[in-house]
Amino acid sequence: MPFAPSAIEAHLKALGGTRFGTRSRQGRPVPGAFIEGSGPGRLAISAGQHANESSPIVGALRAARDLAAEGVVSFTLNPLENPDGYAVFRELCQTQPRHMHHAARYTASGA
């Protein structure tokens, strides 16, 4: 099962940094964080644009964890850019487990 939004939030919280975010079209949180490093490098990490692709969320969180541990590169992290589509994806994974979810995209309206 893909990460629950609460698990994503827990990973963000563990990173620390300066939090930012907004709300989706349907009112779900779109969380983010800025982690400041000691060096001149700057990076933006994002995932979750395509709601049915759950592995990039894991990859983004792992990359952020590793970069934060090194403490050199400053970066922003937005691990779930499409929380409305992700909610549809998670629901369909439970109600339609045999569906080919990897072959579909989901929008805020469920299209």
Side-chain angles (χ1 to χ4, degrees):
M1 184 67 174
F3 271 178
S6 60
I8 295 168
E9 179 60 35
H11 283 277
L12 271 173
K13 188 174 183 178
L15 284 172
T18 304
R19 297 297 300 273
F20 63 86
T22 189
R23 294 269 172 195
S24 70
R25 185 172 183 108
Q26 293 180 345
R28 290 180 180 86
V30 182
F34 171 72
I35 310 299
E36 183 145 13
S38 62
R42 302 272 190 253
L43 183 65
I45 302 170
S46 66
Q49 299 92 346
H50 300 145
N52 66 320
E53 296 174 357
S54 55
S55 58
I57 293 171
V58 174
L61 292 169
R62 286 182 180 172
R65 177 198 62 203
D66 293 350
L67 285 171
E70 289 177 7
V72 177
V73 175
S74 295
F75 63 93
T76 60
L77 171 63
N78 184 329
L80 183 55
E81 289 191 5
N82 179 5
D84 297 336
Y86 193 66
V88 172
F89 168 60
R90 286 179 42 82
E91 180 182 330
L92 288 174
C93 283
Q94 290 180 347
T95 62
Q96 304 293 323
R98 297 183 64 154
H99 180 72
M100 292 175 40
H101 298 289
H102 65 280
R105 300 278 191 255
Y106 307 106
T107 64
S109 63

